[in-house]
Amino acid sequence: MPGVWEETLREEGTRTQQKIRLKPARTQPAAGKWEPWSRAVWDQSAFPRRRDPDPPRKAHPPPRPVQQRPFWSLHLPALVGPALFPGDAHSLSYNFTIDPQPRPDQPWCEVQGEVDQKVFLSYDCGRAKIKYMSPLGEEVKSTNAWETQTDTLRDTGDLLKEQMPDVTPERLIDKGPLTLQARMTCWCEDNGHISASWQFGFSGQLCLLFDSENGHWTEVHSKGRRMKEKWENDRAVCNFFKKVSMGDCRGWYQNFWLHWEKVLQTTAPESFPVSQLVA
């Protein structure tokens, strides 16, 4: 019985091999003729490899531009101010920084007070918070002028914020966050006369000067042209800057200096913070 099965299997295998040999071989199709078995169709190398789509990226808010240092911290040569006088001339300055689009943790207006470029106070216009920053501030914080100056500083901040849209150059409006900076300075000359001036700029660039005594405006950068044209024809704004610098600042200088003279003579210079970025 096993011999019969073996013979049958051999015969089936022989017939299968004969069928395979009799089957015609496929020939390569002529160039340019499409065939189902054409290599150009079925060869995967002829097609670009499919690329998996990139996973969606998490959207991030655009980075906030790095804010420029105020022009008063760049030690620029002062065209109007105490630098025109001998080194023993003393000065009182208030530096305003107006940010119309502040970050949640930043004020829209901050003021930094200095005496001879030594910081003595910091004031937040929005929160109406004032704090002393050195032994100079601590020395005068109990005076009447210390409290009364806050009203004037807040009014000045409100005015600068209100005026900012009208004096900002159009080419700067669409370039992201912009800050308006102003520096009011009053100083004592050799003859005892107290003079005053203002400096204005945008995001670290000094643009405009105002001489409080003669009311003269000086454009020092093209960005200040619109500001000059607007303010030199606005009597209310000119009178406000004159009143604050020639009246209030002069009174504060005379009041504070009675307390500061001894402190400056007896306190080490490193005890006073220097002018710095405030916003």
Side-chain angles (χ1 to χ4, degrees):
M1 197 66 176
V4 176
W5 282 108
E6 291 177 0
E7 183 65 26
T8 303
L9 291 175
R10 282 197 297 268
E11 292 177 358
E12 291 293 335
T14 302
R15 286 195 295 269
T16 301
Q17 292 177 0
Q18 290 176 352
K19 290 180 180 179
I20 294 175
R21 285 197 299 268
L22 293 175
K23 188 176 181 179
R26 293 180 179 178
T27 59
Q28 185 73 16
K33 184 179 180 181
W34 184 88
E35 296 290 346
W37 54 83
S38 172
R39 180 177 180 182
V41 175
W42 300 110
D43 191 351
Q44 294 184 0
S45 62
F47 298 90
R49 187 173 180 179
R50 182 179 179 182
R51 181 180 178 183
D52 295 334
D54 295 333
R57 297 183 178 180
K58 184 178 180 181
H60 295 282
R64 185 181 178 90
V66 178
Q67 188 169 2
Q68 299 292 331
R69 292 177 61 84
F71 55 78
W72 57 75
S73 67
L74 302 179
H75 305 291
L76 299 174
L79 303 180
V80 176
L84 297 175
F85 305 98
D88 57 352
H90 300 287
S91 64
L92 175 63
S93 300
Y94 291 86
N95 306 321
F96 297 81
T97 299
I98 308 299
D99 186 353
Q101 299 177 355
R103 293 185 292 258
D105 58 336
Q106 296 294 325
W108 65 266
C109 167
E110 188 168 0
V111 187
Q112 181 177 274
E114 302 175 4
V115 53
D116 293 348
Q117 297 184 348
K118 300 177 179 64
V119 180
F120 72 94
L121 74 79
S122 176
Y123 178 66
D124 183 337
C125 304
R127 300 181 178 90
K129 292 183 178 180
I130 187 171
K131 56 184 178 181
Y132 64 88
M133 304 295 291
S134 70
L136 292 169
E138 186 175 10
E139 185 68 23
V140 298
K141 68 178 182 179
S142 59
T143 63
N144 292 331
W146 179 264
E147 293 298 331
T148 58
Q149 69 179 339
T150 59
D151 294 334
T152 302
L153 297 179
R154 184 176 61 253
D155 291 342
T156 304
D158 290 338
L159 175 69
L160 292 173
K161 181 181 180 182
E162 177 185 347
Q163 293 287 318
M164 187 174 177
D166 296 331
V167 300
T168 302
E170 293 183 0
R171 66 179 184 274
L172 299 180
I173 295 177
D174 299 329
K175 291 189 175 181
L178 188 72
T179 58
L180 171 62
Q181 296 160 346
R183 177 182 178 92
M184 176 182 66
T185 303
C186 55
W187 66 94
C188 184
E189 301 180 17
D190 290 339
N191 58 6
H193 177 70
I194 298 179
S195 301
S197 69
W198 284 86
Q199 300 174 351
F200 303 94
F202 293 103
S203 299
Q205 175 65 61
L206 177 62
C207 300
L208 188 66
L209 306 175
F210 177 66
D211 190 325
S212 301
E213 292 193 277
N214 58 29
H216 181 68
W217 296 90
T218 303
E219 178 186 329
V220 296
H221 192 278
S222 60
K223 294 179 181 179
R225 184 169 305 144
R226 184 175 181 180
M227 183 186 297
K228 179 176 181 293
E229 294 173 352
K230 174 71 168 58
W231 284 348
E232 69 180 355
N233 296 315
D234 192 328
R235 180 172 298 181
V237 172
C238 291
N239 290 339
F240 180 86
F241 289 145
K242 283 184 178 181
K243 173 183 176 297
V244 174
S245 57
M246 296 296 294
D248 297 304
C249 187
R250 176 186 292 183
W252 300 335
Y253 179 96
Q254 294 172 336
N255 190 304
F256 292 157
W257 193 252
L258 298 175
H259 303 268
W260 284 338
E261 191 168 12
K262 183 178 179 180
V263 176
L264 290 171
Q265 293 175 353
T266 59
T267 306
E270 56 270 16
S271 301
F272 305 109
V274 297
S275 178
Q276 56 188 329
L277 184 68
V278 297

